[in-house]
Amino acid sequence: MTTLSPSGPVAGQRKVRRATMNDVARLAGVSIKTVSRVVNDEPGVHPSTAERVLAAIDQLGFRRNLSARNLRRGSSTGTIGLVLEDVGNPFYSGVTRAVEEIARLRGRQVISGSSDEDPSRERELALEFCSRRVDGLLIVPAGLQHSYLVPEMRAGTPVVFLDRPAGDVVADTVLVDNIGGTVEAVTHLAAHGHRRIAFLGDAPDIFTANERLRGYREGCVRAGIGYHEELVAMGPHDESSVRTTLQRLQSMREPATAIVAGNNRITVYILRALAGVAERPALVGFDDFELADLLSPPVTVIAHDASALGKAATDLLFARLDGDNSPPRRVVLPVRLVPRGSGEVHA
Amino acid sequence: MTTLSPSGPVAGQRKVRRATMNDVARLAGVSIKTVSRVVNDEPGVHPSTAERVLAAIDQLGFRRNLSARNLRRGSSTGTIGLVLEDVGNPFYSGVTRAVEEIARLRGRQVISGSSDEDPSRERELALEFCSRRVDGLLIVPAGLQHSYLVPEMRAGTPVVFLDRPAGDVVADTVLVDNIGGTVEAVTHLAAHGHRRIAFLGDAPDIFTANERLRGYREGCVRAGIGYHEELVAMGPHDESSVRTTLQRLQSMREPATAIVAGNNRITVYILRALAGVAERPALVGFDDFELADLLSPPVTVIAHDASALGKAATDLLFARLDGDNSPPRRVVLPVRLVPRGSGEVHA
DNA sequence: CCGCTGGGGGACAACGTTGTCATAGTGGGC
DNA sequence: GCCCACTATGACAACGTTGTCCCCCAGCGG
C-alpha cells in the first residue's frame, strides 16, 4: 500500500473548480446529455461510448452535483430532517440510530440537529431543513407552538412528532405509554408494601414529565395510598436539587420509602445521591439504561425501546411519502416494568 | 391556543406545488429580482415595496429553495458530512454532539451516517456526501483504503479523520493517545503488584485496537513482567467470547490477576461476565462510561473526552475552510487514568 | 432647460443537471 | 431502390435562484 504523497491530495491547492458533466462531455468528445445517460445508467448508449465517458469521469474525478439534479427533477432530495433534544443523550442517540437505519433502507440521508429543549432553536432547525427541501421531518417537540410548520405541511412535507405531541397542529405522533408506565411503577411499589412513594419528575411543561406525573397520581389513587403533594418534586433537576429533595423526603415525619424517577437522567442523579447510603428507599426509574442490571442493587425500570420509537416514527413518515393520506395517526408504544431489585425492596 | 383543524395541515392534499420567488413576485406585483433582494436583505428596496413582498411571502408560505441558491452561488452548501461507526454508541454520540455544536456556531448543518465498521459503507456515505457538495468531511475510518477520497480532496473538500488515521491518504487526523493510555494502565496495575495482566482488545485490524495492544505490550516490557501471548485475546468480541476468554484466563497454571479492556464495549462484557463472581481480577477499561463510578467496585478507566475529540476535529476542519493550507496535521489528544477501585486491587 | 446623480427596480443569463424532442445513420423487408 | 423501424446521439429548455448590467425618473445645480 503506497501512501499518496502531498503532491496529490494536500490542502495546498484550493478551489480547483469541480468537473461538471460539461467537462466530461468535452473530454470524451460527446454531448453532455450522453454523459448524463451514462451517469444515470440510462439505456441507449453504445458500450464503447460509455467506456470513453467513464474514463473521462474517472480522469476528472467527476461527481454528479445532487443540488442541480434535485433542482431539475423537482422531486425528492433524498434527505429527511431529524430534530431532537440532544443527540448526546443515549435515549435519543438510540432513536437517531433507528431512524438512520430505516432511512438508509429507503435510500435517504438523515440531517439532524439538537434543540436543547429550546423552542426557537427547534423552529430554526426545522425551517432550515425545510429550506433544504427535506422529504420529511421527524421532530421531538421542544415547545407547544408548531403552527409555524403549517405552511410546510400544506406544501407537502410530512411531519411526524416523536416522544411528545405537537402543541397546536394535527399530525402523526408516536408516543410511549407514559401514564401506563408510571401507574405500573406505583402499583408495583405498593404491592411491595410501600405507602409513601415519592415522584421526582422533569419540568412539568415537558409533555412526558407531565404525563408521568399524571400516571403517578393515578397509580397512587388506584393503590389506595392517596396523592400527597409533598411527595412530588418536579424539575428542572440537577444533581444537587435531587440531593436536597432526597434529604427532604427522608426527613419528613413519615419519610418516603420508595421513589419513582421520571427519566433516565433523574434516575442517575438519585443513584449518585444514594451512593454509600445505608438505608436506601426502593427505586423504580422511567427509561432503561445500560448497566442498570449491574448496579447494586440492580435498578428496576420502566423500559421502552428507543429504537422502536425511532422505527415507528420513521415507518409512519415513509408511509406518508408513499402516498398514505389517511387521517393523522397517534401511535402509543407499550412500556414494560423490568424488575431487577431496587423496586422489590419491601417497605 | 387553538388546534388547527384538519382543513388545514392534514396529510390529505398532497403535492401542492411549493411557491417560488416567481409566484411571490407575481402576487406582490414586482419582479423576481426584487423578491430576491427582500429575501436576502439586500439594500435598495423601498420599504413599502418590501412590505408588499413580505406579505406575499407570508401568504404563499414561500421558503427559499436552498438547492437552487447553492447551485447558483456555487459556494458553500452550509453542510458538513460526518461518517462514524455507530451513532448509537455513547462515545460516538458524544462526538456527534460536539461536532453539531461547533458546526452550529459556524452556521452549518451536519449530515451523518453510521458505517458499522464496513469500509464499503463508509465509502458509500462519504461519496454520497460529496455528491451533496458538503463543505467538509469528518470521517471515523472503517478501513484502510481512502484513496477514493483523493479526487474529492483535490477538488477542494477538506477531510479530517477522527479517532483513527486514514490508510493511504495524507490528511488532518485527530487521535487519542492509545499507546500512552494502555502503557499507563499496565504500569498502574503492575504498581499494585500484578504480574499476570491480560489484554482483551477489539479486532486487530482496527487501528485503535492495534495501538492499544502495542501500548499493552510496551507497558508489560517496561514493567519488567514480559509480554505473554497467552494473556492476549483480540476480537471481534461478543458477550460469550469474552466469557470463555475469562474462563481460560483464570484456569491457567498462572492465572491472570488483572485485565486491561480494550474499549467500553469489552469492559461492559467483562463486567457482565464477572457479575456475581467472588474472586474478581483487577480491571482497567479503555474509554470512560457513565455510571462507572457507581458500580461495585467502581471501574478504573483510561478516560478521554469524546467531545474534545469532536471539537478538535471540527476546529481543524473549519480552519481549512477558512483557508488554512498548511501541511496536514496530526493531533493526539491526551488520556488520563481515573482510579476508582477496580484497578487498585492488589495481586 | 439641460445634464447629472442616485435610488429603486427590472431583464437576462447562468449555475449543473435532466426531460423532451429531433436527427443522423443503419439494416432489413419488399 | 424505397420506406420503415430502430439505435445512438445531440440541441435545447427548464428547474429556482442570484449576479450583472441596464433603465427610468425625481431632484438638483447651473
Side-chain angles (χ1 to χ4, degrees):
Chain A
M1 179 178 307
T2 57
T3 292
L4 294 168
S5 82
S7 75
V10 146
Q13 34 174 335
R14 299 200 49 70
K15 292 299 122 193
V16 192
R17 195 178 59 81
R18 257 179 193 281
T20 69
M21 282 193 177
N22 230 315
D23 303 324
V24 175
R26 202 160 22 234
L27 181 58
V30 298
S31 84
I32 181 181
K33 180 65 207 189
T34 298
V35 177
S36 173
R37 280 195 257 264
V38 172
V39 170
N40 291 292
D41 270 327
E42 282 171 29
V45 178
H46 195 91
S48 72
T49 311
E51 200 174 339
R52 274 205 331 277
V53 171
L54 287 173
I57 286 177
D58 215 53
Q59 184 179 333
L60 295 175
F62 167 80
R63 189 160 305 284
R64 145 175 91 189
N65 182 328
L66 276 183
S67 289
R69 167 174 234 244
N70 293 332
L71 175 60
R72 171 62 237 237
R73 311 187 78 201
S75 59
S76 156
T77 56
T79 50
I80 65 180
L82 172 63
V83 180
L84 31 72
E85 194 216 314
D86 173 12
V87 227
N89 183 319
F91 176 66
Y92 291 115
S93 69
V95 171
T96 305
R97 185 62 215 262
V99 170
E100 206 182 70
E101 204 86 7
I102 300 190
R104 182 194 162 184
L105 291 176
R106 308 286 300 249
R108 255 79 163 195
Q109 238 62 51
V110 177
I111 318 184
S112 65
S114 303
S115 71
D116 281 319
E117 217 62 274
D118 173 356
S120 72
R121 174 79 186 126
E122 172 209 301
R123 180 191 157 114
E124 194 184 311
L125 280 167
L127 289 182
E128 162 82 23
F129 292 165
C130 288
S131 273
R132 292 191 185 282
R133 297 291 187 268
V134 291
D135 296 338
L137 225 33
L138 293 170
I139 301 183
V140 175
L144 293 170
Q145 317 250 314
H146 295 86
S147 49
Y148 71 87
L149 283 169
V150 170
E152 312 305 326
M153 297 169 81
R154 201 170 271 149
T157 307
V159 178
V160 177
F161 293 95
L162 267 86
D163 196 39
R164 314 166 187 172
D168 50 2
V169 205
V170 177
D172 291 319
T173 309
V174 181
L175 307 171
V176 301
D177 185 7
N178 294 294
I179 298 187
T182 34
V183 166
E184 193 171 350
V186 173
T187 308
H188 183 77
L189 289 166
H192 284 81
H194 295 279
R195 306 195 61 76
R196 297 286 289 173
I197 303 172
F199 180 73
L200 270 68
D202 215 329
D205 58 325
I206 295 176
F207 172 82
T208 47
N210 194 39
E211 289 272 288
R212 291 170 194 178
L213 173 59
R214 282 178 55 200
Y216 162 77
R217 185 176 211 147
E218 165 92 16
C220 289
V221 172
R222 280 203 218 167
I225 59 177
Y227 172 76
H228 304 288
E229 194 86 46
E230 80 268 19
L231 289 173
V232 172
M234 300 301 278
H237 281 299
D238 56 22
E239 195 155 343
S240 81
S241 77
V242 165
R243 205 173 285 274
T244 51
T245 301
L246 289 184
Q247 280 162 358
R248 184 172 64 73
L249 288 169
Q250 309 225 266
S251 62
M252 294 166 74
R253 295 137 304 153
E254 282 189 272
T257 62
I259 305 177
V260 175
N263 66 33
N264 57 0
R265 263 190 311 258
I266 294 174
T267 306
V268 170
Y269 293 149
I270 294 176
L271 290 172
R272 265 184 225 296
L274 293 179
V277 172
E279 197 80 354
R280 298 173 70 137
L283 174 65
V284 177
F286 211 108
D287 298 333
D288 200 358
F289 56 96
E290 189 168 24
L291 299 180
D293 57 323
L294 290 183
L295 295 169
S296 48
V299 182
T300 296
V301 298
I302 305 296
H304 54 114
D305 191 352
S307 69
L309 186 65
K311 176 169 170 16
T314 313
D315 283 345
L316 215 43
L317 189 71
F318 276 112
R320 295 301 181 191
L321 288 175
D322 288 344
D324 174 356
N325 56 6
S326 55
R329 256 171 283 175
R330 169 178 289 226
V331 176
V332 178
L333 299 177
V335 301
R336 65 180 208 290
L337 186 133
V338 181
R340 293 202 178 106
S342 74
E344 289 68 45
V345 183
H346 288 264
Chain B
M1 178 177 310
T2 56
T3 293
L4 295 168
S5 81
S7 75
V10 147
Q13 35 174 334
R14 298 198 50 70
K15 292 297 123 197
V16 193
R17 196 179 59 82
R18 259 182 191 277
T20 70
M21 283 193 176
N22 232 316
D23 304 324
V24 174
R26 201 159 25 234
L27 181 59
V30 298
S31 84
I32 182 182
K33 179 66 207 189
T34 297
V35 176
S36 173
R37 282 196 256 262
V38 171
V39 169
N40 291 293
D41 270 328
E42 283 173 29
V45 179
H46 195 90
S48 70
T49 312
E51 202 174 337
R52 278 209 323 281
V53 171
L54 288 173
I57 286 176
D58 215 52
Q59 184 179 333
L60 296 176
F62 167 78
R63 189 161 303 285
R64 147 177 89 189
N65 182 327
L66 276 182
S67 288
R69 167 176 234 245
N70 293 333
L71 175 60
R72 172 62 236 234
R73 309 186 82 203
S75 58
S76 157
T77 57
T79 50
I80 64 182
L82 172 63
V83 180
L84 30 73
E85 194 216 312
D86 174 11
V87 227
N89 182 320
F91 176 67
Y92 291 114
S93 70
V95 171
T96 305
R97 185 62 216 262
V99 171
E100 209 181 67
E101 203 86 7
I102 300 191
R104 182 193 162 187
L105 292 176
R106 307 287 300 251
R108 255 79 164 197
Q109 238 63 50
V110 177
I111 319 183
S112 64
S114 304
S115 70
D116 282 319
E117 218 61 274
D118 173 356
S120 72
R121 174 80 186 125
E122 172 210 299
R123 180 191 158 115
E124 194 184 310
L125 280 167
L127 290 181
E128 163 81 24
F129 293 165
C130 288
S131 274
R132 294 192 183 281
R133 296 294 186 267
V134 291
D135 296 338
L137 224 34
L138 293 169
I139 301 184
V140 176
L144 293 170
Q145 316 250 312
H146 295 87
S147 48
Y148 71 88
L149 283 169
V150 170
E152 312 304 326
M153 298 170 80
R154 202 170 268 150
T157 306
V159 178
V160 177
F161 293 95
L162 267 86
D163 196 42
R164 312 168 189 172
D168 49 2
V169 205
V170 177
D172 291 319
T173 309
V174 182
L175 306 171
V176 300
D177 185 7
N178 295 295
I179 297 187
T182 33
V183 166
E184 195 173 348
V186 173
T187 308
H188 183 77
L189 289 166
H192 285 80
H194 294 279
R195 305 194 59 77
R196 296 285 289 172
I197 304 173
F199 180 73
L200 270 69
D202 215 330
D205 57 327
I206 295 177
F207 172 82
T208 48
N210 194 37
E211 289 272 288
R212 291 169 194 178
L213 172 60
R214 282 177 54 199
Y216 162 79
R217 183 175 211 150
E218 166 92 17
C220 289
V221 172
R222 281 204 218 165
I225 58 178
Y227 172 78
H228 305 288
E229 195 88 45
E230 80 268 19
L231 289 173
V232 172
M234 300 302 277
H237 281 297
D238 57 22
E239 197 156 341
S240 81
S241 77
V242 165
R243 202 173 288 273
T244 50
T245 301
L246 288 184
Q247 281 162 358
R248 183 172 64 75
L249 288 170
Q250 308 224 268
S251 61
M252 295 166 73
R253 295 137 304 153
E254 282 188 273
T257 63
I259 306 176
V260 175
N263 66 32
N264 56 1
R265 263 191 310 258
I266 294 174
T267 306
V268 170
Y269 293 149
I270 293 177
L271 290 171
R272 266 186 224 295
L274 292 179
V277 172
E279 197 80 355
R280 299 173 69 136
L283 174 65
V284 176
F286 211 108
D287 298 334
D288 200 358
F289 56 96
E290 192 170 22
L291 299 180
D293 57 325
L294 291 183
L295 295 169
S296 49
V299 181
T300 296
V301 298
I302 305 297
H304 54 112
D305 193 351
S307 70
L309 186 65
K311 177 168 170 16
T314 315
D315 284 344
L316 215 44
L317 189 70
F318 277 113
R320 295 301 182 192
L321 289 175
D322 289 344
D324 174 357
N325 57 6
S326 55
R329 256 172 283 175
R330 169 177 289 224
V331 176
V332 178
L333 299 176
V335 301
R336 65 179 206 292
L337 186 133
V338 181
R340 294 204 177 104
S342 73
E344 290 68 42
V345 183
H346 288 266

